[in-house]
Amino acid sequence: MKRAVCGLAVLCIISGCAKKETIKPVQAPAVPAAAPAPTLPSVPVATTAPESLLAEVTLPEPERNIGRLGELADAIKPGSGALVSPATLAGALAGMLGASSLDGLDLARPVRVLVLDPKTQPKPLVLVASVADEKVLLASVAAAPGLAVRVHEGHAAVATETALLQAGDYALTQLLGQPLPAEPTVNVYLERVATIFRGELDMFKNTVIGAMKERGGHTAAVVEAELAFFEYLVDQSERLVVTLEAAATGASLDFALVPRAGATIASFYAAQQPSDYALLGKLPAADVVMFAMAGRVVLGPWREPALAFVGEAWEKITGKKLGPELLAGFVAMADASTGESAGVGSLGPKGDLRAAMLWGTTDPTGLHQVTLSMLAGLKALGKIDLLGDKVSYDVKPTAFKYDGVAVTEYTTSFDFSETKAKAVLEKLYGGKAVKGHLGAFDGFMVSAFGKSSDAFFKAAVDSARRGKNRFDPGLDLAAALTDSRARKESFVMYMALGEIMRAAQAAEKKQSFPVIEGPAGMVFALGFADGSAHFRMTLPAALGRALSVARPAGAAE
């Protein structure tokens, strides 16, 4: 579990606003020491979005949206909801434009904020909302130096004069005609961002990678590979749409990448199908679930770019080229896989980690042989530096047979001497070397690792073949799966952070890990049902509540 890298950017030039418009003063009620609010002609010309538009923020039902955030805040920390209210929203909107207030706007109706190119607009925000009282609004804007307002058919656009010249027509015509999202949304135009801020992004990337290279190790190579993948996704995408769902039970953020027309990755998105997560039910029972994952993802037409990226990433991370055996193995695995997979990680009776994975395959025997070749290739590499840990591999092609299935044993040896969490890792792994067992049968390949992985492998065979002692997801994970199916997602991963922290706490002699009650599960999911790539992460209120009061075990209350 390491990191994820993220970033945004934009592009701008005015199109459709070439004509010169005269700013006319509006006769507003007298306000001491305040100039009258400038305004533009009241009838805007329908136009497309200006090229300086980088992002749009939409609150479809501001009072409800903010109210739900307040409910979530109260659920996490009682009393904190008072800090998140419609009144605070009104103050925040006024403050971001440099006004003391924006009285006269109707914040019970949809609110939109446009973000323009800050390189051409020192104050790049344009607020668009319904008007409750035009005279009061004009007086509010008149009291804010540098602001202008444009009112049309019950709606107002508030910004600087130059920002309204660039985006006012669009804000009061095309923007208002767009369908409203169901939840608060940020729409980012990635192509424009990437073009406008290319220099800044390259400088940031080079600075980060350079600093990490000075520290040594392969961390810089890992980040470099991640950034390369991120840049590829940005290049293939037209927009990033971020959606927030909040309620007293929790919150989720959905990041959707909308592909450019004709982008290679669009065909990959189109090849994905929703999953019913049925394969998870074929795994063996687990004592204390720490994580679970399941779903269906196929490479489809994205096969070649994906395999090329795997080869480049492997070389950067390990410092060694992906040999022909390993490369052929990745290709064969991709070709023999149905895309279906499921896995579960749990704690054994003595607090050690054990896990089982199940893959769907059209060629069980062939996939097993390919995996053997890959393990042989890993063994031939000797000791490698994998994300800061020294790792080496060994393999016994046929350790034993179970129920007619030939079982391969592989051993992963770790050098934790330079790892701060040495005690925790050795406790979870059951030592410095972790055994694993794998085999293929009946359209599946099964892999189990951890202490007593041979027994866990046998349990996986019995569960998949005969339905014996199968995995029970429990209430928390079952609810997450139901929600994911309703969203028509393709893959879901569940992490019981409460259990993970308790396991780390049990292995740490200093007892320095926080106490978190319950499973405190977080969910990460992938979905492609609408032709875009959605990455969703969900934070339950129970987890936020636990973290807000978390304290080291044994600490005084």
Coordinates of all heavy atoms in Angstrom, one line a residue, residues 30-118:
A30 N -28.5 54.0 -3.0 CA -27.4 54.7 -2.5 C -26.7 53.9 -1.4 O -27.3 53.4 -0.5 CB -27.8 56.1 -1.9
V31 N -25.4 53.7 -1.6 CA -24.6 53.0 -0.6 C -23.4 53.9 -0.3 O -22.6 54.2 -1.2 CB -24.1 51.6 -1.1 CG1 -23.2 50.9 -0.1 CG2 -25.3 50.8 -1.6
P32 N -23.2 54.2 1.0 CA -22.1 55.2 1.3 C -20.8 54.6 0.9 O -20.5 53.5 1.0 CB -22.2 55.2 2.9 CG -23.7 54.9 3.1 CD -24.0 53.9 2.1
A33 N -20.0 55.5 0.3 CA -18.6 55.3 -0.1 C -18.5 54.1 -1.1 O -17.5 53.4 -1.1 CB -17.8 55.0 1.1
A34 N -19.5 53.8 -1.9 CA -19.5 52.7 -2.8 C -19.8 53.2 -4.2 O -20.7 53.9 -4.4 CB -20.4 51.6 -2.4
A35 N -19.0 52.7 -5.2 CA -19.3 53.0 -6.6 C -20.5 52.2 -7.1 O -20.7 51.1 -6.6 CB -18.1 52.8 -7.5
P36 N -21.2 52.7 -8.1 CA -22.3 51.9 -8.7 C -21.8 50.6 -9.4 O -20.6 50.6 -9.9 CB -22.9 52.8 -9.7 CG -21.9 53.8 -10.1 CD -21.1 54.0 -8.8
A37 N -22.6 49.5 -9.3 CA -22.1 48.3 -9.9 C -22.2 48.3 -11.4 O -23.3 48.6 -11.9 CB -23.0 47.1 -9.3
P38 N -21.1 48.0 -12.1 CA -21.2 48.0 -13.6 C -22.0 46.8 -14.0 O -22.0 45.8 -13.4 CB -19.7 47.9 -14.0 CG -19.0 47.3 -12.8 CD -19.8 47.8 -11.6
T39 N -22.6 46.9 -15.2 CA -23.3 45.7 -15.7 C -23.2 45.7 -17.2 O -22.8 46.7 -17.8 CB -24.8 45.9 -15.4 OG1 -25.5 44.7 -15.8 CG2 -25.5 47.1 -16.0
L40 N -23.4 44.5 -17.8 CA -23.3 44.4 -19.2 C -24.7 44.4 -19.8 O -25.7 44.3 -19.1 CB -22.6 43.1 -19.6 CG -21.1 43.2 -19.3 CD1 -20.7 42.3 -18.2 CD2 -20.3 42.8 -20.6
P41 N -24.9 44.5 -21.1 CA -26.2 44.5 -21.8 C -27.0 43.3 -21.3 O -26.5 42.2 -21.1 CB -25.9 44.4 -23.2 CG -24.5 45.0 -23.4 CD -23.8 44.7 -22.1
S42 N -28.3 43.5 -21.1 CA -29.1 42.5 -20.4 C -29.5 41.3 -21.3 O -29.9 40.3 -20.8 CB -30.5 43.2 -20.0 OG -31.1 43.7 -21.1
V43 N -29.3 41.4 -22.6 CA -29.7 40.3 -23.5 C -28.4 39.6 -24.0 O -27.7 40.2 -24.9 CB -30.5 40.7 -24.7 CG1 -30.9 39.5 -25.6 CG2 -31.8 41.4 -24.2
P44 N -28.0 38.5 -23.4 CA -26.7 37.8 -23.9 C -26.9 37.1 -25.2 O -28.0 36.8 -25.6 CB -26.5 36.8 -22.7 CG -27.9 36.5 -22.2 CD -28.7 37.7 -22.3
V45 N -25.8 36.9 -25.9 CA -25.8 36.2 -27.1 C -25.4 34.7 -26.9 O -24.4 34.4 -26.2 CB -24.8 36.8 -28.1 CG1 -24.8 36.0 -29.4 CG2 -25.2 38.2 -28.4
A46 N -26.3 33.8 -27.3 CA -26.0 32.3 -27.1 C -24.6 32.0 -27.7 O -24.3 32.4 -28.8 CB -27.1 31.5 -27.7
T47 N -23.8 31.3 -26.9 CA -22.4 31.0 -27.4 C -21.9 29.7 -26.7 O -22.5 29.3 -25.8 CB -21.5 32.2 -27.0 OG1 -20.2 31.9 -27.5 CG2 -21.4 32.4 -25.5
T48 N -20.9 29.2 -27.3 CA -20.3 28.0 -26.7 C -19.4 28.4 -25.6 O -19.1 29.6 -25.4 CB -19.5 27.2 -27.8 OG1 -18.5 28.1 -28.3 CG2 -20.4 26.7 -28.9
A49 N -18.9 27.5 -24.8 CA -18.0 27.8 -23.7 C -16.8 28.5 -24.2 O -16.2 28.1 -25.2 CB -17.7 26.5 -22.9
P50 N -16.3 29.5 -23.5 CA -15.1 30.2 -23.8 C -13.9 29.3 -23.6 O -13.9 28.4 -22.8 CB -15.0 31.4 -22.9 CG -15.9 31.0 -21.7 CD -17.0 30.1 -22.3
E51 N -12.9 29.5 -24.4 CA -11.7 28.6 -24.3 C -10.9 28.8 -23.0 O -10.0 28.1 -22.7 CB -10.8 28.8 -25.5 CG -11.4 28.3 -26.8 CD -10.5 28.4 -28.0 OE1 -9.3 28.8 -27.8 OE2 -10.9 28.2 -29.1
S52 N -11.2 29.9 -22.3 CA -10.6 30.2 -21.1 C -11.3 29.5 -19.9 O -10.8 29.5 -18.8 CB -10.6 31.7 -20.8 OG -11.9 32.2 -20.7
L53 N -12.4 28.7 -20.2 CA -13.1 28.0 -19.1 C -12.4 26.8 -18.8 O -12.2 25.9 -19.6 CB -14.5 27.7 -19.6 CG -15.4 26.9 -18.6 CD1 -15.6 27.7 -17.3 CD2 -16.7 26.5 -19.2
L54 N -11.9 26.7 -17.5 CA -11.2 25.5 -17.0 C -12.1 24.5 -16.3 O -11.9 23.3 -16.3 CB -10.0 25.9 -16.1 CG -9.1 26.9 -16.7 CD1 -7.9 27.2 -15.8 CD2 -8.6 26.5 -18.1
A55 N -13.1 25.0 -15.5 CA -13.9 24.1 -14.7 C -15.2 24.8 -14.3 O -15.3 26.0 -14.4 CB -13.1 23.8 -13.4
E56 N -16.2 23.9 -14.1 CA -17.5 24.4 -13.6 C -17.8 23.6 -12.3 O -17.7 22.4 -12.3 CB -18.6 24.0 -14.7 CG -18.3 24.7 -16.0 CD -19.2 24.2 -17.1 OE1 -19.8 23.1 -16.9 OE2 -19.2 24.8 -18.2
V57 N -18.3 24.3 -11.3 CA -18.7 23.7 -10.1 C -20.2 24.0 -10.0 O -20.7 25.1 -10.2 CB -18.0 24.4 -8.8 CG1 -18.5 23.7 -7.5 CG2 -16.5 24.3 -9.0
T58 N -21.0 22.9 -9.7 CA -22.4 23.0 -9.6 C -23.0 22.4 -8.3 O -22.6 21.3 -7.9 CB -23.1 22.2 -10.8 OG1 -22.6 22.7 -12.0 CG2 -24.6 22.3 -10.8
L59 N -23.8 23.2 -7.6 CA -24.5 22.8 -6.5 C -26.0 22.8 -6.9 O -26.6 23.8 -7.0 CB -24.4 23.7 -5.3 CG -23.0 23.9 -4.7 CD1 -23.0 24.9 -3.5 CD2 -22.5 22.5 -4.1
P60 N -26.6 21.6 -7.2 CA -27.9 21.5 -7.8 C -29.0 22.0 -6.8 O -30.0 22.6 -7.2 CB -28.1 20.1 -8.2 CG -27.1 19.3 -7.3 CD -25.9 20.3 -7.2
E61 N -28.8 21.6 -5.5 CA -29.7 22.1 -4.5 C -28.9 22.5 -3.3 O -28.7 21.7 -2.3 CB -30.6 20.9 -4.1 CG -31.5 20.4 -5.2 CD -32.3 19.2 -4.7 OE1 -33.3 19.4 -4.0 OE2 -32.0 18.0 -5.1
P62 N -28.4 23.7 -3.3 CA -27.5 24.2 -2.3 C -27.8 23.9 -0.9 O -27.0 23.4 -0.1 CB -27.3 25.7 -2.6 CG -27.7 25.8 -4.0 CD -28.7 24.8 -4.3
E63 N -29.1 24.3 -0.5 CA -29.5 24.1 0.9 C -29.4 22.6 1.3 O -29.0 22.2 2.4 CB -30.8 24.7 1.2 CG -30.8 26.2 1.1 CD -32.2 26.8 1.4 OE1 -33.2 26.1 1.5 OE2 -32.2 28.1 1.6
R64 N -30.0 21.7 0.4 CA -29.9 20.3 0.7 C -28.5 19.8 0.7 O -28.1 19.0 1.6 CB -30.8 19.5 -0.3 CG -30.8 18.0 -0.1 CD -31.6 17.3 -1.1 NE -31.0 17.4 -2.4 CZ -30.1 16.4 -2.8 NH1 -29.7 15.5 -2.0 NH2 -29.5 16.5 -4.0
N65 N -27.7 20.2 -0.3 CA -26.3 19.7 -0.4 C -25.5 20.1 0.8 O -24.8 19.2 1.4 CB -25.7 20.3 -1.6 CG -26.4 19.9 -2.9 OD1 -26.4 20.7 -3.9 ND2 -27.0 18.8 -3.0
I66 N -25.6 21.3 1.2 CA -24.9 21.8 2.4 C -25.4 21.1 3.7 O -24.7 20.8 4.6 CB -24.9 23.3 2.5 CG1 -24.2 23.9 1.3 CG2 -24.2 23.8 3.8 CD1 -22.8 23.5 1.1
G67 N -26.8 21.0 3.7 CA -27.4 20.4 4.9 C -26.9 18.9 5.1 O -26.7 18.5 6.2
R68 N -26.7 18.2 4.0 CA -26.2 16.8 4.1 C -24.8 16.8 4.6 O -24.4 15.9 5.4 CB -26.4 16.1 2.8 CG -27.8 15.7 2.5 CD -28.0 14.8 1.3 NE -29.3 14.3 1.2 CZ -29.7 13.5 0.2 NH1 -28.8 13.0 -0.7 NH2 -30.9 13.1 0.1
L69 N -24.0 17.7 4.2 CA -22.6 17.8 4.7 C -22.6 18.1 6.2 O -21.8 17.6 6.9 CB -21.8 18.9 3.9 CG -21.3 18.5 2.5 CD1 -20.7 19.7 1.9 CD2 -20.3 17.4 2.6
G70 N -23.5 18.9 6.6 CA -23.7 19.2 8.0 C -24.1 18.0 8.8 O -23.6 17.8 9.9
E71 N -25.0 17.2 8.3 CA -25.4 15.9 8.9 C -24.2 15.0 9.1 O -24.0 14.3 10.1 CB -26.5 15.3 8.1 CG -27.8 16.0 8.1 CD -28.8 15.4 7.2 OE1 -28.5 14.3 6.6 OE2 -29.9 16.0 7.0
L72 N -23.4 14.9 8.0 CA -22.2 14.1 8.0 C -21.2 14.6 9.1 O -20.6 13.8 9.9 CB -21.5 14.0 6.7 CG -20.2 13.3 6.6 CD1 -20.4 11.8 7.0 CD2 -19.6 13.4 5.2
A73 N -21.0 15.9 9.1 CA -20.1 16.5 10.1 C -20.5 16.2 11.5 O -19.7 15.8 12.4 CB -20.0 18.0 9.9
D74 N -21.8 16.3 11.8 CA -22.4 15.9 13.1 C -22.2 14.5 13.4 O -22.0 14.1 14.6 CB -23.9 16.3 13.2 CG -24.1 17.8 13.6 OD1 -23.2 18.3 14.4 OD2 -25.1 18.4 13.2
A75 N -22.4 13.6 12.4 CA -22.2 12.2 12.7 C -20.8 11.8 13.0 O -20.5 10.9 13.8 CB -22.7 11.4 11.4
I76 N -19.8 12.6 12.4 CA -18.4 12.3 12.7 C -18.0 12.9 14.1 O -17.4 12.3 14.9 CB -17.5 12.9 11.6 CG1 -17.8 12.1 10.3 CG2 -16.1 12.8 12.0 CD1 -17.1 12.6 9.1
K77 N -18.4 14.2 14.3 CA -18.1 14.9 15.5 C -19.3 15.7 15.9 O -19.6 16.8 15.3 CB -16.9 15.7 15.3 CG -16.3 16.3 16.7 CD -15.0 17.0 16.5 CE -14.4 17.5 17.8 NZ -13.1 18.1 17.6
P78 N -20.1 15.3 16.9 CA -21.3 16.0 17.3 C -21.0 17.5 17.5 O -20.1 17.9 18.2 CB -21.8 15.3 18.5 CG -21.2 13.9 18.4 CD -19.9 14.0 17.7
G79 N -21.9 18.3 16.9 CA -21.8 19.8 17.1 C -21.1 20.5 16.0 O -21.2 21.7 15.8
S80 N -20.3 19.7 15.2 CA -19.5 20.3 14.1 C -20.3 20.7 12.9 O -19.9 21.5 12.1 CB -18.3 19.4 13.7 OG -18.8 18.2 13.2
G81 N -21.6 20.2 12.8 CA -22.4 20.5 11.7 C -22.8 21.9 11.7 O -23.2 22.4 10.6
A82 N -22.7 22.6 12.8 CA -23.1 24.1 12.8 C -22.1 24.9 11.9 O -22.4 26.0 11.5 CB -23.0 24.6 14.2
L83 N -20.9 24.3 11.7 CA -19.9 25.0 10.9 C -20.2 24.9 9.4 O -19.6 25.5 8.6 CB -18.5 24.5 11.2 CG -18.1 24.6 12.7 CD1 -16.7 24.0 12.9 CD2 -18.1 26.1 13.1
V84 N -21.1 23.9 9.1 CA -21.5 23.7 7.7 C -23.0 23.9 7.5 O -23.8 23.1 7.8 CB -21.1 22.2 7.3 CG1 -21.3 22.0 5.8 CG2 -19.7 21.9 7.7
S85 N -23.3 25.1 7.0 CA -24.7 25.5 6.9 C -25.0 26.4 5.7 O -24.0 26.9 5.1 CB -25.2 26.2 8.2 OG -24.5 27.4 8.2
P86 N -26.2 26.6 5.3 CA -26.5 27.5 4.2 C -25.9 28.9 4.4 O -25.5 29.6 3.5 CB -28.0 27.5 4.1 CG -28.4 26.2 4.6 CD -27.4 25.8 5.7
A87 N -25.9 29.3 5.7 CA -25.3 30.6 6.0 C -23.8 30.7 5.7 O -23.3 31.7 5.2 CB -25.6 31.0 7.5
T88 N -23.1 29.6 6.1 CA -21.7 29.6 5.8 C -21.4 29.5 4.3 O -20.4 30.1 3.8 CB -21.0 28.4 6.5 OG1 -21.6 27.2 6.1 CG2 -21.1 28.5 8.0
L89 N -22.3 28.9 3.5 CA -22.2 28.8 2.1 C -22.3 30.2 1.5 O -21.5 30.6 0.7 CB -23.3 27.9 1.5 CG -23.3 28.0 -0.1 CD1 -22.1 27.4 -0.7 CD2 -24.6 27.2 -0.6
A90 N -23.3 31.0 1.9 CA -23.5 32.4 1.5 C -22.2 33.2 1.7 O -21.7 34.0 0.8 CB -24.7 33.0 2.1
G91 N -21.7 33.1 2.9 CA -20.4 33.8 3.2 C -19.3 33.4 2.4 O -18.4 34.2 2.0
A92 N -19.2 32.1 2.1 CA -18.0 31.6 1.4 C -18.1 32.0 -0.1 O -17.1 32.4 -0.7 CB -18.0 30.0 1.4
L93 N -19.3 32.0 -0.7 CA -19.5 32.5 -2.0 C -19.1 34.0 -2.2 O -18.4 34.4 -3.1 CB -20.9 32.3 -2.5 CG -21.3 30.8 -2.7 CD1 -22.8 30.7 -3.0 CD2 -20.5 30.1 -3.8
A94 N -19.6 34.8 -1.2 CA -19.2 36.2 -1.2 C -17.7 36.4 -1.1 O -17.1 37.2 -1.8 CB -20.0 36.9 -0.1
G95 N -17.2 35.7 -0.1 CA -15.7 35.9 0.2 C -14.9 35.5 -1.0 O -13.8 36.2 -1.3
M96 N -15.2 34.5 -1.8 CA -14.3 34.1 -2.9 C -14.3 35.1 -4.0 O -13.4 35.1 -4.8 CB -14.7 32.7 -3.4 CG -16.0 32.7 -4.2 SD -16.4 31.0 -4.7 CE -17.8 31.4 -5.8
L97 N -15.4 36.0 -4.0 CA -15.4 37.0 -5.0 C -15.0 38.4 -4.5 O -14.9 39.3 -5.2 CB -16.9 37.2 -5.6 CG -17.4 36.0 -6.4 CD1 -18.9 36.2 -6.8 CD2 -16.6 35.8 -7.7
G98 N -14.6 38.4 -3.2 CA -14.1 39.6 -2.6 C -15.2 40.6 -2.2 O -15.0 41.8 -2.0
A99 N -16.5 40.0 -2.0 CA -17.6 40.8 -1.5 C -17.9 40.5 0.0 O -17.6 39.4 0.5 CB -18.8 40.5 -2.3
S100 N -18.4 41.5 0.7 CA -18.8 41.3 2.1 C -20.1 40.5 2.2 O -20.3 39.7 3.1 CB -19.0 42.6 2.8 OG -20.0 43.4 2.2
S101 N -20.9 40.6 1.1 CA -22.2 39.8 1.1 C -22.7 39.8 -0.4 O -22.3 40.6 -1.2 CB -23.2 40.3 2.0 OG -23.8 41.5 1.5
L102 N -23.5 38.8 -0.7 CA -24.2 38.8 -2.0 C -25.7 38.6 -1.7 O -26.4 37.8 -2.3 CB -23.6 37.6 -2.8 CG -22.2 37.9 -3.4 CD1 -21.7 36.6 -4.1 CD2 -22.2 39.1 -4.3
D103 N -26.2 39.4 -0.8 CA -27.6 39.4 -0.6 C -28.4 39.7 -1.9 O -27.9 40.5 -2.7 CB -28.0 40.5 0.5 CG -27.4 40.2 1.9 OD1 -27.0 39.0 2.1 OD2 -27.2 41.1 2.7
G104 N -29.5 39.1 -2.0 CA -30.3 39.3 -3.2 C -30.3 38.0 -4.1 O -31.1 37.9 -5.0
L105 N -29.4 37.1 -3.9 CA -29.3 35.9 -4.6 C -30.2 34.8 -3.9 O -30.4 34.9 -2.7 CB -27.9 35.3 -4.7 CG -26.9 36.1 -5.6 CD1 -25.5 35.4 -5.5 CD2 -27.4 36.1 -7.0
D106 N -30.8 33.9 -4.7 CA -31.6 32.8 -4.2 C -30.8 31.6 -4.1 O -30.6 30.8 -5.1 CB -32.8 32.6 -5.1 CG -33.8 31.6 -4.5 OD1 -33.5 31.0 -3.5 OD2 -34.8 31.3 -5.2
L107 N -30.2 31.3 -2.9 CA -29.3 30.2 -2.7 C -30.1 28.9 -2.4 O -29.5 27.8 -2.1 CB -28.3 30.4 -1.6 CG -27.4 31.6 -1.9 CD1 -26.3 31.7 -0.8 CD2 -26.7 31.5 -3.3
A108 N -31.4 28.9 -2.5 CA -32.2 27.7 -2.5 C -32.3 27.0 -3.8 O -32.7 25.8 -3.9 CB -33.6 28.0 -1.9
R109 N -31.9 27.7 -4.9 CA -31.9 27.2 -6.2 C -30.5 27.0 -6.7 O -29.5 27.3 -6.0 CB -32.6 28.2 -7.2 CG -34.1 28.5 -6.8 CD -34.7 29.6 -7.6 NE -34.8 29.2 -9.0 CZ -35.8 28.5 -9.5 NH1 -36.8 28.2 -8.7 NH2 -35.9 28.2 -10.8
P110 N -30.3 26.3 -7.8 CA -29.0 25.9 -8.3 C -28.0 27.0 -8.3 O -28.3 28.1 -8.7 CB -29.2 25.3 -9.7 CG -30.6 24.8 -9.6 CD -31.4 25.8 -8.8
V111 N -26.8 26.7 -7.9 CA -25.6 27.7 -7.9 C -24.5 27.0 -8.7 O -24.2 25.9 -8.6 CB -25.1 28.0 -6.5 CG1 -23.8 28.8 -6.5 CG2 -26.2 28.7 -5.7
R112 N -23.9 27.9 -9.6 CA -22.8 27.4 -10.4 C -21.6 28.4 -10.3 O -21.9 29.6 -10.1 CB -23.2 27.3 -11.9 CG -24.3 26.3 -12.2 CD -24.7 26.4 -13.6 NE -25.7 25.3 -14.0 CZ -27.0 25.4 -13.9 NH1 -27.5 26.6 -13.4 NH2 -27.8 24.5 -14.3
V113 N -20.4 27.9 -10.3 CA -19.2 28.7 -10.3 C -18.4 28.3 -11.5 O -18.0 27.1 -11.6 CB -18.5 28.6 -9.0 CG1 -17.2 29.4 -9.0 CG2 -19.3 29.0 -7.8
L114 N -18.0 29.3 -12.3 CA -17.1 29.0 -13.4 C -15.7 29.4 -13.0 O -15.5 30.5 -12.4 CB -17.5 29.8 -14.7 CG -18.9 29.6 -15.2 CD1 -19.1 30.4 -16.5 CD2 -19.2 28.2 -15.4
V115 N -14.7 28.6 -13.4 CA -13.3 28.9 -13.1 C -12.6 29.2 -14.5 O -12.5 28.3 -15.3 CB -12.6 27.7 -12.4 CG1 -11.2 28.1 -12.1 CG2 -13.4 27.4 -11.1
L116 N -12.1 30.4 -14.6 CA -11.5 30.8 -15.9 C -9.9 30.7 -15.7 O -9.4 30.5 -14.6 CB -11.9 32.2 -16.3 CG -13.4 32.5 -16.4 CD1 -13.6 33.9 -16.8 CD2 -14.0 31.5 -17.4
D117 N -9.2 30.9 -16.8 CA -7.8 30.8 -16.8 C -7.2 31.9 -15.9 O -7.3 33.1 -16.3 CB -7.3 30.9 -18.2 CG -5.8 30.9 -18.3 OD1 -5.1 30.6 -17.3 OD2 -5.2 31.1 -19.4
P118 N -6.5 31.5 -14.8 CA -6.0 32.6 -13.9 C -4.8 33.3 -14.6 O -4.4 34.4 -14.1 CB -5.5 31.8 -12.7 CG -5.3 30.4 -13.2 CD -6.3 30.2 -14.3

